Amino acid sequence: MTDCLHLKTAVTRVDDNTLLINKNWVDPAYFPGFNLIEVDASEPFAANCLPVHEKIIYPITFPNTRKRLEEKGYTIAPVDLSELAKAEGAVTCCSLIVA
């Protein structure tokens, strides 16, 4: 992992078989067997998403990567995280896992 603070800045789970990834920050070879959706090159911080039920909670600031997710059939729940992003915060930073 390079050029980012957390692993979830470089790659996160979209569903059980798919990851959203910035291949410049983490080597995809670490994730064999997964389908990979690469972030748009102009949006390096776009790899952080949060799947909840049938939707993906996703920042409004990454429209090109959002389009890639939508083209794969995912429904996006857009959120404004501009204040959190100032400290490299993202949707997974504001979530708790509830089982």
Side-chain angles (χ1 to χ4, degrees), residues 1 6 17 19-21 23 49 52 58 65 76 80 82 97:
M1 191 175 76
H6 302 285
N17 302 307
L19 302 174
L20 184 60
I21 189 167
K23 292 181 180 180
C49 69
V52 177
Y58 197 71
T65 302
I76 304 300
D80 182 357
S82 54
I97 297 173

Side-chain angles (χ1 to χ4, degrees), residues 1-62:
M1 191 175 76
T2 59
D3 298 325
C4 61
L5 185 59
H6 302 285
L7 179 61
K8 288 184 187 179
T9 305
V11 61
T12 54
R13 177 186 171 274
V14 177
D15 62 31
D16 290 342
N17 302 307
T18 308
L19 302 174
L20 184 60
I21 189 167
N22 179 335
K23 292 181 180 180
N24 292 320
W25 290 354
V26 65
D27 186 347
Y30 288 112
F31 308 101
F34 283 95
N35 300 316
L36 302 177
I37 300 172
E38 190 170 357
V39 301
D40 186 271
S42 69
E43 302 170 341
F45 287 90
N48 192 284
C49 69
L50 182 64
V52 177
H53 299 291
E54 300 298 319
K55 294 185 179 181
I56 304 294
I57 299 173
Y58 197 71
I60 63 173
T61 51
F62 306 122

